[in-house]
Amino acid sequence: MRRSRVLVLVLLLAGVMAASAVLAARLWPEGEYGHDLRRYGDADGVATRFGDLGSGHVLAIGSPDSHRILVQWRDPDGSGWTAPQLVWNERAVAFDNTLRTGDGVAVIQQAFTTDTSDDTEASAHWVAIVCRASALSCSASRLAGSARPAQVAPDGRHALLASGEGGVWVWEPDAGIHRVPWQGGRDAAALAGPALAPDGGLRLVTSSPARGACTFRLWSAEPGTAAFRPVALQRGRLRGAARSECRTYLDSDPGLWSPAWIAVHPSDHRAPDFWFERTAAGWRATAVDPSGLDAVDVPRGCCDTVVGAFIHGADVAVGSPDGRSLRLQVHRRGEDRWGPPVTVGTAPRRVACDLPDVSEVGDGAAVVLGCREAGDARGVLVAVSADLESWRARYVPDVTNEVLTDDEGRLVVDDLRWSPEDGWSDGA
């Protein structure tokens, strides 16, 4: 049976970074944590997001009006927050963002548009915001075109922001945001987007068709450079009729799990995923998943494994081998392998369930499995966790509204509310 393809939502990379002034300053004097957290909704602005930077440092970022981007830092002892501080402001409208963290560092990619009637990314531009807990400071720079979600090394000393014809744009503590030019004599513009390794080195996978076959080649560059050299290759039959089938895509940060392997997904979905793995003699291609992910793969019905990426610095894989139970695995940032699979809840026998969904809820997480009951009735199996370790499941029958997260950071299931701080409660 073919291994289930792991689905990870990733923004497309395109364009290059434009020259821009960088905002960098110490934002608050020490000890000024006597403020309340301000939560922003996405009705008029950008909903508040949280980044756990380790050692008790938590960053909150959002926008009250879709123009000003504000941050607050939480006191490591949890007693209060700094006052909201402006880190970016412009006339364009903010509409989407991603947040990635390493040890002591948060990187936000904030999207803006000048044409709110355009529901594509054609009119969008992006701003990279890098915040450091050690100095309570942020720096920001505008990117031309669109940018992939940042990749941040677990130790917080390297971040990959964008790549294009001019090179690769990265962030480092001493150098800030800067460009590293392509090297190595290759047509750099044709290279796929690279992945960041835990030590700050870069890897990428290219592919080329020839006589009905496809050659996938792994390239590697040392930290601080974009001088890529080939280190391994894999050949396979070109199954599709078009040359476009001879392509690959990488997870948003596959290199961050381990310095010893990288996952590759062929664009031809009839072809299995494979991995490049480091050995004592160099790199090799393998069909055996070294990550420890025990993916659910069912012939039909619910539910193959899907992955919720970057859930408070971790990834949560969820599937259902029987269409009623929720089986989870958690991968924590900086670890080489997934944790063991655990079953966290089961829906009643009379129902049949759909594809699960994973989302952040405040400082915790929730997995929701929608189910069909008798007639047109719908129910949901919900598993919630405040720490991604202990999970509590609850089946809610006869659900009439969409399950969502409100402006207070609570999971809303009809009249029920859940938050990591208060657990389950009835009503508002």
Side-chain angles (χ1 to χ4, degrees):
M1 180 181 298
R2 181 178 61 83
R3 177 189 177 274
S4 171
R5 187 172 306 281
V6 175
L7 303 178
V8 180
L9 296 179
V10 179
L11 295 175
L12 296 177
L13 170 66
V16 298
M17 180 175 290
S20 172
V22 174
L23 171 67
R26 184 172 182 84
L27 301 181
W28 301 270
E30 292 183 5
E32 293 196 357
Y33 289 104
H35 299 267
D36 293 331
L37 171 67
R38 296 186 185 177
R39 288 185 181 269
Y40 308 114
D42 52 13
D44 299 315
V46 178
T48 301
R49 303 192 64 172
F50 298 90
D52 185 350
L53 282 63
S55 301
H57 293 286
V58 174
L59 174 78
I61 185 166
S63 174
D65 56 13
S66 295
H67 301 289
R68 294 172 296 155
I69 307 300
L70 304 176
V71 301
Q72 290 182 264
W73 294 90
R74 189 180 72 184
D75 191 336
D77 68 9
S79 61
W81 295 79
T82 59
Q85 177 68 35
L86 179 70
V87 296
W88 192 265
N89 187 20
E90 63 176 85
R91 295 179 62 183
V93 177
F95 69 95
D96 194 12
N97 63 21
T98 61
L99 188 153
R100 306 290 184 257
T101 61
D103 186 13
V105 171
V107 182
I108 300 93
Q109 301 281 43
Q110 179 64 60
F112 290 87
T113 183
T114 56
D115 182 3
T116 56
S117 64
D118 183 4
D119 58 1
T120 71
E121 294 184 8
S123 64
H125 65 268
W126 294 77
V127 172
I129 302 170
V130 182
C131 297
R132 301 178 63 186
S134 60
L136 297 185
S137 66
C138 296
S139 60
S141 183
R142 177 170 170 167
L143 311 178
S146 61
R148 71 191 303 174
Q151 301 175 41
V152 186
D155 63 6
R157 297 196 58 79
H158 302 274
L160 174 62
L161 303 175
S163 65
E165 293 185 9
V168 178
W169 282 265
V170 299
W171 173 88
E172 295 170 319
D174 296 331
I177 298 172
H178 64 286
R179 179 178 65 87
V180 179
W182 295 110
Q183 300 176 44
R186 295 247 335 146
D187 180 7
L191 295 176
L196 184 70
D199 64 356
L202 300 175
R203 301 188 187 118
L204 57 82
V205 175
T206 59
S207 55
S208 57
R211 298 181 181 179
C214 194
T215 299
F216 305 103
R217 183 170 280 106
L218 174 66
W219 301 76
S220 180
E222 295 298 318
T225 78
F228 289 96
R229 59 186 180 86
V231 295
L233 60 85
Q234 166 79 335
R235 291 191 176 94
R237 183 167 63 88
L238 182 59
R239 298 169 181 245
R243 291 169 64 92
S244 63
E245 295 292 342
C246 183
R247 292 186 300 185
T248 66
Y249 62 92
L250 305 177
D251 293 338
S252 51
D253 70 341
L256 298 186
W257 290 16
S258 171
W261 57 266
I262 186 169
V264 183
H265 308 290
S267 293
D268 183 348
H269 285 199
R270 293 166 295 178
D273 298 340
F274 66 93
W275 294 260
F276 284 116
E277 183 179 28
R278 190 194 296 271
T279 67
W283 289 84
R284 66 167 185 168
T286 177
V288 179
D289 186 351
S291 73
L293 178 63
D294 185 9
V296 175
D297 187 0
V298 295
R300 63 182 68 87
C302 179
C303 300
D304 287 354
T305 290
V306 297
V307 172
F310 304 104
I311 306 297
H312 298 299
D315 304 307
V316 179
V318 57
S320 180
D322 57 7
R324 294 188 303 110
S325 60
L326 280 174
R327 192 175 76 173
L328 294 175
Q329 283 183 270
V330 175
H331 165 253
R332 296 190 177 276
R333 193 167 188 79
E335 296 183 356
D336 285 357
R337 294 175 58 84
W338 289 86
V342 293
T343 298
V344 296
T346 303
R349 291 183 178 276
R350 66 180 183 277
V351 305
C353 300
D354 305 321
L355 191 68
D357 180 64
V358 187
S359 63
E360 292 183 343
V361 181
D363 290 336
V367 178
V368 178
L369 184 64
C371 301
R372 299 184 302 276
E373 299 177 331
D376 295 331
R378 300 280 299 183
V380 294
L381 175 63
V382 183
V384 293
S385 176
D387 55 11
L388 300 183
E389 294 182 3
S390 300
W391 294 83
R392 296 182 66 86
R394 178 171 184 168
Y395 185 78
V396 184
D398 299 322
V399 174
T400 58
N401 298 306
E402 180 182 359
V403 179
L404 49 80
T405 302
D406 66 12
D407 291 346
E408 298 299 319
R410 301 173 300 180
L411 186 73
V412 179
V413 187
D414 281 353
D415 294 332
L416 297 174
R417 305 290 187 271
W418 180 85
S419 70
E421 299 81 11
D422 302 326
W424 287 102
S425 61
D426 294 331

